[in-house]
Amino acid sequence: MRALLELSRVGKDYAKVESNRGRLRLVWDLLGGRGASDVFRAIDNVDFTMARGASLGIIGENGAGKSTLLKIIAGVVKPTRGTVRVNGRVGALLELGSGFHPEYTGRANIDLAAALLGLTSGELSTKRDEIIAFADIGDHIDMPIKYYSSGMVVRLGFAVATTLDPDVLITDEVLAVGDESFQKKCVAWMENYLADGGTLLLCSHSTYQIQRLCRDALWLKDGCVERYGRADDVVQAYLAYHEEKSARAKRPVAERRAQAAGIYAIQTLDLAPGDRIAHGEELTVSGDVFSPDGRVPVVNIGIVRADGTPVYGVSTDMDRVEPRPVDATRYRYSLTFPQLALLPGKYAVRAHALDPEGARLFDHVERELIVTGAGREFGLVRLPHRWG
């Protein structure tokens, strides 16, 4: 059975032009038939195949090359190298408003899109009402697109792309725009589309939607395929990568690197009596902070719940105190909570280094804190109280 979509060693380069001299060099290279000598490699060596009825999710950080890849598959952009074979009609919803003329009404843009897709007037007449009904934008259908909100543009774009029976549907973050009811409507349509044998290529930052709608996933990292396979496995690897990245970001910055970068940096963060404490006990948060210029930095201490909900935060300048000097570039901070009011649960204690003016935050180090106890109250803290 012939594949619906085949990509082999696909790559895309964009010329770097940062000055007038660079523009002249680019023209000279192109006239000489050599191609651009200084390029940004948006994607490189991408391979995958999709059969009819398949569903593939594209994930990756901003700038990883996801949108470039989708544009190549949709035929909007030509690859610099490699081959792309699409054996069927493609319905693509890429950048917001792409394919629409801002001066035309929504109704006129439906006709324009249908003509570009090769539909006859007879085919369009049977589809037009269905498209308008799915978009559900009321009287705005007879207003120019330039007056539409971003959500309305996506509604119309999705209605056009999906109602014209594509063999493969390509969507780029369509579910990130629009209200909740329309997002549910789109997801329901995609599920029915897949159940009827449709082929879906979905780009999204929502790993939940990728796992719900796609059997397979492809993770792009710096323009290259980092992982390709079952959606659950790829998403798990992708989330683990971000957890490791976040953990690295929360580690103290080495003094040598802080000095080279000229930043104020938390060097140590200690919890006493430890990272496990009973409710109501005394907690002391202390450590050292580096100052690249010898000036006294501001230290901010914050406590958040495990899900990121802020609980409490205070800084040295709020209480008009200063960290104690240890040497020419190192200061010591210490903050004590005599009776920790946090209810039992899992928290994180964060220390932030700021400049002496308290205007710029340079660093963030975090320690986990477990509060034990048998409390049954609701909320985050236990407040002193009495019943009358």
Side-chain angles (χ1 to χ4, degrees):
M1 182 177 178
R2 188 172 63 165
L4 181 61
L5 182 61
E6 295 178 87
L7 276 75
S8 177
R9 304 183 66 82
V10 170
K12 179 63 180 178
D13 298 340
Y14 290 99
K16 289 183 181 179
V17 180
E18 299 174 353
S19 64
N20 289 333
R21 184 177 179 182
R23 292 186 182 91
L24 290 173
R25 186 171 62 248
L26 175 60
V27 172
W28 180 257
D29 289 339
L30 294 176
L31 289 175
R34 294 183 296 273
S37 57
D38 188 15
V39 298
F40 165 70
R41 189 151 289 180
I43 61 171
D44 190 37
N45 202 28
V46 176
D47 295 278
F48 68 85
T49 301
M50 290 184 70
R52 290 186 182 274
S55 51
L56 178 67
I58 308 293
I59 58 177
E61 298 170 280
N62 290 329
K66 304 184 300 297
S67 295
T68 300
L69 177 60
L70 295 187
K71 289 176 183 177
I72 289 173
I73 297 170
V76 177
V77 172
K78 289 186 177 181
T80 305
R81 59 196 162 275
T83 58
V84 179
R85 294 186 179 89
V86 182
N87 303 309
R89 175 187 286 174
V90 174
L93 187 55
L94 302 175
E95 295 178 358
L96 188 64
S98 61
F100 289 151
H101 194 296
E103 299 294 337
Y104 292 0
T105 65
R107 192 183 300 273
N109 270 291
I110 292 174
D111 295 349
L112 175 62
L116 292 173
L117 289 169
L119 268 69
T120 66
S121 57
E123 289 175 316
L124 175 59
S125 62
T126 62
K127 294 285 187 181
R128 187 184 289 110
D129 290 342
E130 186 180 344
I131 294 171
I132 293 173
F134 191 97
D136 192 22
I137 57 176
D139 294 338
H140 292 92
I141 195 66
D142 293 311
M143 293 176 59
I145 290 284
K146 64 181 180 181
Y147 298 125
Y148 284 19
S149 67
S150 59
M152 291 166 64
V153 173
V154 166
R155 280 175 172 264
L156 186 60
F158 191 86
V160 170
T162 57
T163 311
L164 300 178
D165 297 326
D167 293 308
V168 55
L169 175 64
I170 301 174
T171 66
D172 187 3
E173 290 294 346
V174 62
L175 299 179
V177 183
D179 55 55
E180 186 176 353
S181 62
F182 184 70
Q183 290 181 10
K184 290 180 178 178
K185 191 176 182 179
C186 291
V187 170
W189 185 93
M190 290 182 187
E191 289 175 333
N192 291 332
Y193 172 73
L194 291 170
D196 292 337
T199 306
L200 176 66
L201 191 56
L202 172 66
C203 174
S204 177
H205 284 293
S206 171
T207 53
Y208 168 76
Q209 290 171 354
I210 294 291
Q211 289 177 292
R212 178 176 178 178
L213 294 169
C214 302
R215 285 196 294 270
D216 299 303
L218 184 146
W219 170 15
L220 278 179
K221 184 173 183 286
D222 299 326
C224 299
V225 177
E226 181 73 12
R227 189 152 181 169
Y228 175 45
R230 299 289 299 174
D232 290 344
D233 296 335
V234 176
V235 165
Q236 185 176 1
Y238 180 63
L239 293 176
Y241 159 77
H242 278 286
E243 286 294 332
E244 292 174 4
K245 186 176 179 181
S246 297
R248 288 195 299 270
K250 295 169 186 174
R251 294 171 187 163
V253 177
E255 183 172 326
R256 183 179 298 176
R257 191 154 65 90
Q259 180 70 63
I263 62 174
Y264 298 86
I266 298 294
Q267 295 293 286
T268 58
L269 172 60
D270 301 313
L271 304 179
D275 57 9
R276 194 175 186 89
I277 185 173
H279 166 83
E281 287 189 352
E282 181 175 282
L283 173 68
T284 298
V285 182
S286 61
D288 291 342
V289 56
F290 173 80
S291 170
D293 54 11
R295 295 193 300 158
V296 183
V298 170
V299 176
N300 182 294
I301 303 296
I303 299 177
V304 299
R305 201 165 60 181
D307 63 0
T309 302
V311 178
Y312 181 73
V314 66
S315 63
T316 52
D317 63 342
M318 290 180 186
D319 289 338
R320 297 182 179 178
V321 298
E322 292 183 342
R324 177 172 51 87
V326 177
D327 55 38
T329 59
R330 187 180 291 263
Y331 290 81
R332 183 77 178 170
Y333 63 89
S334 181
L335 174 67
T336 298
F337 298 94
Q339 292 181 315
L340 194 63
L342 295 175
L343 289 177
K346 187 175 181 180
Y347 301 86
V349 178
R350 295 175 176 173
H352 305 264
L354 296 87
D355 61 12
E357 293 74 32
R360 292 182 296 168
L361 188 149
F362 289 90
D363 194 24
H364 163 208
V365 177
E366 182 175 302
R367 287 281 303 273
E368 183 181 274
L369 175 68
I370 303 295
V371 179
T372 62
R376 296 172 57 194
E377 298 98 326
F378 302 103
L380 301 173
V381 298
R382 178 176 293 161
L383 299 177
H385 62 276
R386 65 173 179 267
W387 296 90

